[in-house]
Amino acid sequence: MSLPYINRELSWLEFNQRVLNEGLRADLPLLERVKFLAITASNLDEFFQVRVGGLMLMRRSGRKTPDVSGLTPLQQLQAIRRRVQKMLDDQYGLLANELLPALAENGIHPLQMKQLDAVQTDQVSAQFHANIFPLLTPLSVEADGDPPLVPALQLTVACKLVDEETKAIRFVLIPIPESLGRRITVTHSAGGLAFVLIEDAVANLAGTLFPGEKVLSTGCFRVTRNGDIAVQEEDAIDLAGEMEDVLAARKLSDTVRLELQVPLPRDLTRVIQDISQAKPQVVYRINGPLGLSSFMDLAFLPDFDRLRDAEWPSQPSAAMSPGESLFDAISRHDILLHHPYESFEPVLRLMEEAADDPDVISIKQVLYRTAKQSRVIDALIRAAENGKHVTVLVELKARFDEARNLHRAEELQRAGAQIVYGVKGLKTHAKICLIIRREAGRLRRYVHLGTGNYNESTARLYTDISLLTCRPEYGADASLFFNAVTGRSKLLRFQRLVPAPNAMKPKLLELIASEAERARQGDPARILAKVNSLQDPEIIAALYEASTAGVDIQLNVRGICCLKTGGKRRAKNIRVVSIIDRYLEHARLFYFHGGGDPEIFISSADWMGRNLDRRVELMIPIEDPGARRQLLRILETYFKDTAQASLILPDGSSERILPAKGKKPFRAQEYFFRQARRAAKAREHERAMTLEPHVPTD
């Protein structure tokens, strides 16, 4: 008998709905609601590029094999369209009926060109001719020529023109460069901020681009192209060059979505569909502004702090003294950091200290996604320039970050670093840095292992775990890891670390099976896990079996969950929650009761086939007693949330978990922030009472 599964794509759409539900909450600050709306739009952009693009390729190839949920590619595409249409209705209903009126009431005035008075119209016209007109490049649509290439995800204004002498009709496209931004500001009698959207201004003033012609009609549209184009590594001699070809191919790939802003004249609609080669089933008619992801900048407008959440500043870790050498701190004991409640600064300081420390001989690191202005890469460049042996595995297959990774890899190479472009056939997603230092005539290895990227920007927005250690076994495993990924050998003979793709899934299946066997013997059995996504059929089957045996299974799954909850048999002992809050839940944490001798792990990998079978990942056992207690508290705290948590239902949808009658809502992320602040203050007070000296940092 086949096991029950929720379709991956539909489960992801339910996750995006949970994000949108935050925007629908009237009790949240206004600009936070705008931010959640923008996030859902950005998420949908990537979903269409990757997931829908892949399904369309499957359908075109004639593939009719159903997925584990029983849906063929065509059935999935049909179900996606129905669900997306409902989501669009929710998005644009929220924008028109709630957010735009509320913004105006609070001094942020989105206006249309037809609403402007004479002074405001002159302001828009002046800005258009000074800053926009010179950067526009109209593209003529020739009846007998090749159609112009429409840039992906770029707002484009289509125009129907008539020659005032010959009366000839023609069509022209005006792509709007993203560098121009989205808003043109104008003054407003009520003060505050007032603006029109750039596409409205371009459509209104398009006539100035075409002397001797009259604009009969205009319309705005946006094309999404297939981004599911992979490197053909079997034939690739130069992986970096092959990746550049992939980036170029994405610009010319098939249309997977065409958004048309309505109302739009029929002839313009036909021209746009012909140019984009968009079939009716990929066309979405939108009653509102396109590209809602760009509304994110409204959430960060200056002078409107009252419309945002109060800040939760990251706290210094209580595990080290200000200005103390990271090498000294790690030498005393393992350091576990819970980001962003505890600052990412110690990780950055470790890199920067290693770059300048004359006793550091070598630095080896995996880079997947980095910040635009990356202190990590700056430190690695400085280390190489200082004569240290620097080896960096740069993952060129980090989707949509490929161009940045190529550029930074070239910088590192110029500085003298040894660059390795990933592992053939696999995506390297592990988060690991190995620093080798000479101490007292011997070499000592310091290791950073984590669940998140070496990216100081996202480290302020994502929840993650970092482990800093100099345990010899972990250092030896780190050396084995880098030898394997740079030398293309097998990931074998590890003492502590559990790598994918060869060992992690078998280890997880073994741990789940052990809990199931203990439950059958009548012993207490428990599994707690926090992942971003749960999709792997073997893991899900093992969880069903463990649940049937009586194991208490609590899962915190932020996004995709293909496990079907509920029922009186397979999932009767499984509870799945999902938390959407101000920080993106990103850490992966696993707890297995182990008959009273628990095994606790952090990991770079989700419980998905792609992570466990097709990526280089790491699962890290936590051995320090204090760190183990902290991780268990973190896991258990999430399951107490009654403010931001939702319960995943048997059909894949969710319902918000509410506090018991008479109880105050409990918010896990707020609790973690307050705990970190309390610990930092206690450590500061302790230092003051013991007159511990402050060590300056240069």
Side-chain angles (χ1 to χ4, degrees):
M1 181 183 295
S2 63
L3 296 174
Y5 294 95
I6 300 294
N7 175 261
R8 169 182 172 155
E9 320 307 342
L10 298 180
S11 178
W12 183 91
L13 287 169
E14 293 304 329
F15 152 69
N16 207 42
Q17 182 67 49
R18 290 194 291 277
V19 179
L20 182 56
N21 289 345
E22 293 300 298
L24 291 164
R25 288 178 57 176
D27 60 322
L28 290 187
L30 177 57
L31 293 184
E32 301 299 330
R33 300 176 69 191
V34 172
K35 179 177 71 175
F36 280 114
L37 174 64
I39 290 171
T40 65
S42 176
N43 288 348
L44 273 179
D45 287 347
E46 184 169 338
F47 177 74
F48 271 92
Q49 287 176 280
V50 179
R51 302 307 306 175
V52 174
L55 285 170
M56 290 179 68
L57 287 176
M58 288 184 197
R59 185 193 173 196
R60 183 175 302 162
S61 70
R63 181 171 170 178
K64 297 181 180 179
T65 306
D67 70 344
V68 292
S69 73
L71 298 179
T72 66
L74 175 58
Q75 290 171 324
Q76 291 181 66
L77 288 168
Q78 292 170 336
I80 287 168
R81 181 173 178 85
R82 290 192 297 270
R83 188 62 186 87
V84 167
Q85 192 59 63
K86 172 65 170 63
M87 190 174 294
L88 291 172
D89 292 342
D90 288 347
Q91 284 182 325
Y92 283 91
L94 169 64
L95 180 68
N97 301 327
E98 298 185 41
L99 298 185
L100 291 180
L103 286 169
E105 290 175 7
N106 285 277
I108 302 172
H109 306 279
L111 302 173
Q112 297 179 19
M113 288 293 294
K114 62 186 179 183
Q115 296 174 302
L116 303 185
D117 60 28
V119 172
Q120 293 170 324
T121 300
D122 288 344
Q123 291 172 345
V124 171
S125 179
Q127 293 182 63
F128 175 84
H129 286 96
N131 303 318
I132 299 172
F133 181 97
L135 298 178
L136 297 178
T137 305
L139 304 173
S140 180
V141 180
E142 304 295 338
D144 300 324
D146 293 332
L149 175 63
V150 180
L153 296 179
Q154 193 166 323
L155 294 171
T156 302
V157 174
C159 303
K160 179 181 180 180
L161 309 176
V162 59
D163 189 294
E164 292 183 321
E165 291 185 4
T166 67
K167 306 304 179 185
I169 300 289
R170 71 185 185 105
F171 297 92
V172 176
L173 308 182
I174 310 175
I176 302 175
E178 291 182 14
S179 60
L180 290 173
R182 193 69 190 272
R183 293 179 284 110
I184 300 175
T185 58
V186 296
T187 57
H188 195 278
S189 58
L193 171 72
F195 62 89
V196 296
L197 295 177
I198 191 169
E199 65 269 26
D200 193 10
V202 169
N204 191 269
L205 298 169
T208 61
L209 291 161
F210 310 109
E213 295 178 282
K214 181 180 179 181
V215 177
L216 297 178
S217 59
T218 62
C220 186
F221 70 98
R222 187 169 176 258
V223 170
T224 307
R225 299 191 182 279
N226 184 9
D228 190 29
I229 301 174
V231 175
Q232 301 302 315
E233 293 186 71
E234 294 300 322
D235 302 321
I237 298 173
D238 174 12
L239 187 57
E242 179 74 13
M243 184 54 68
E244 290 176 343
D245 292 342
V246 167
L247 295 175
R250 282 186 188 157
K251 298 177 182 178
L252 302 168
S253 59
D254 295 336
T255 297
V256 297
R257 178 180 59 170
L258 173 61
E259 298 167 280
L260 303 174
Q261 187 174 7
V262 297
L264 186 68
R266 185 172 299 176
D267 52 0
L268 275 181
T269 300
R270 175 182 52 77
V271 168
I272 294 168
Q273 284 191 246
D274 288 346
I275 291 168
S276 60
Q277 298 181 335
K279 296 181 179 179
Q281 59 265 32
V282 305
V283 176
Y284 291 85
R285 289 171 171 79
I286 307 296
N287 188 17
L290 307 181
L292 292 181
S293 59
S294 68
F295 278 47
M296 178 64 80
D297 70 342
L298 291 178
F300 299 99
L301 287 172
D303 304 322
F304 289 94
D305 289 348
R306 60 189 173 82
L307 302 179
R308 280 187 284 268
D309 279 330
E311 288 191 16
W312 290 351
S314 294
Q315 302 297 309
S317 170
M320 63 199 76
S321 300
E324 179 184 21
S325 164
L326 265 297
F327 295 116
D328 291 343
I330 298 168
S331 295
R332 289 199 308 273
H333 52 70
D334 291 354
I335 296 174
L336 191 81
L337 301 173
H338 189 193
H339 309 302
Y341 315 104
E342 293 178 294
S343 173
F344 193 66
E345 188 66 20
V347 180
L348 299 173
R349 278 183 48 212
L350 176 65
M351 299 298 306
E352 292 168 343
E353 189 175 339
D356 297 322
D357 188 333
D359 292 324
V360 168
I361 300 169
S362 171
I363 303 173
K364 299 182 180 184
Q365 189 158 12
V366 173
L367 295 181
Y368 190 75
R369 299 188 194 277
T370 59
K372 289 182 179 179
Q373 304 296 326
S374 173
R375 285 171 58 186
V376 170
I377 291 181
D378 290 346
L380 291 169
I381 289 173
R382 193 163 72 249
E385 291 172 343
N386 287 341
K388 304 183 191 309
H389 181 68
V390 176
T391 302
V392 183
L393 189 151
V394 179
E395 182 48 77
L396 292 186
K397 299 184 289 291
R399 199 184 303 272
F400 303 127
D401 274 354
E402 300 97 337
R404 181 188 301 167
N405 286 0
L406 272 170
H407 174 70
R408 297 315 304 262
E410 291 168 358
E411 286 186 73
L412 285 161
Q413 210 158 24
R414 286 195 298 270
Q418 177 70 47
I419 300 299
V420 179
Y421 288 123
V423 176
K424 186 175 182 179
L426 300 170
K427 187 178 288 189
T428 305
H429 192 248
K431 323 299 181 187
I432 181 171
C433 174
L434 170 64
I435 298 169
I436 301 176
R437 189 172 188 254
R438 184 182 291 109
E439 296 179 3
R442 295 184 177 182
L443 297 183
R444 193 173 196 182
R445 289 176 280 211
Y446 293 82
V447 186
H448 171 266
L449 297 153
T451 65
N453 294 305
Y454 291 101
N455 185 322
E456 56 267 38
S457 298
T458 57
R460 294 191 291 268
L461 305 172
Y462 293 9
T463 72
D464 273 306
I465 299 292
S466 281
L467 175 68
L468 299 165
T469 184
C470 61
R471 291 176 181 262
E473 305 90 342
Y474 287 67
D477 282 358
S479 289
L480 281 175
F481 174 86
F482 280 105
N483 289 344
V485 297
T486 61
R488 303 293 191 261
S489 57
K490 295 181 179 180
L491 292 160
L492 300 174
R493 300 198 303 273
F494 284 70
Q495 301 177 64
R496 294 290 188 273
L497 306 184
V498 184
N502 61 312
M504 192 183 300
K505 185 191 283 188
K507 178 66 173 178
L508 287 168
L509 293 173
E510 174 191 322
L511 289 164
I512 296 169
S514 295
E515 293 300 313
E517 184 57 32
R518 288 189 176 91
R520 293 188 192 100
Q521 299 298 325
D523 296 331
R526 189 185 190 203
I527 297 172
L528 303 178
K530 178 183 183 298
V531 294
N532 299 330
S533 298
L534 170 57
Q535 168 272 333
D536 185 84
E538 291 180 81
I539 296 291
I540 292 174
L543 291 171
Y544 282 146
E545 186 173 345
S547 169
T548 303
V551 180
D552 174 31
I553 302 173
Q554 302 282 321
L555 304 176
N556 177 359
V557 183
R558 184 197 78 213
I560 296 165
C561 181
C562 296
L563 182 148
K564 190 177 180 68
T565 62
K568 297 181 180 180
R569 292 186 56 214
R570 294 186 180 89
K572 63 180 181 180
N573 291 310
I574 301 177
R575 180 173 180 261
V576 184
V577 303
S578 176
I579 292 177
I580 306 295
D581 204 344
R582 73 157 62 181
Y583 297 134
L584 180 78
E585 291 294 341
H586 193 253
R588 293 90 166 181
L589 316 175
F590 317 143
Y591 168 94
F592 300 90
H593 185 63
D597 184 17
E599 295 195 59
I600 303 175
F601 303 86
I602 64 173
S603 180
S604 63
D606 286 311
W607 287 357
M608 301 186 74
R610 69 179 188 188
N611 297 89
L612 300 176
D613 298 329
R614 300 186 297 280
R615 288 187 177 185
V616 178
E617 305 269 15
L618 285 172
M619 184 167 75
I620 302 103
I622 303 300
E623 298 184 351
D624 179 83
R628 287 164 61 85
R629 288 193 297 271
Q630 183 181 354
L631 285 176
L632 180 56
R633 281 196 301 269
I634 289 171
L635 273 168
E636 291 180 329
T637 297
Y638 278 116
F639 295 108
K640 299 175 183 176
D641 195 300
T642 56
Q644 301 295 139
S646 296
L647 185 69
I648 303 301
L649 301 176
D651 65 353
S653 65
S654 56
E655 65 178 15
R656 188 172 293 278
I657 298 173
L658 300 175
K661 188 175 181 180
K663 297 287 187 179
K664 291 183 177 179
F666 175 77
R667 185 179 182 186
Q669 288 196 0
E670 183 177 18
Y671 171 81
F672 293 137
F673 165 68
R674 294 187 184 280
Q675 285 290 98
R677 187 173 61 179
R678 188 177 298 116
K681 287 184 176 180
R683 180 71 173 116
E684 185 179 348
H685 177 71
E686 180 185 336
R687 285 197 299 269
M689 295 299 291
T690 58
L691 301 178
E692 179 180 316
H694 172 76
V695 182
T697 60
D698 292 344

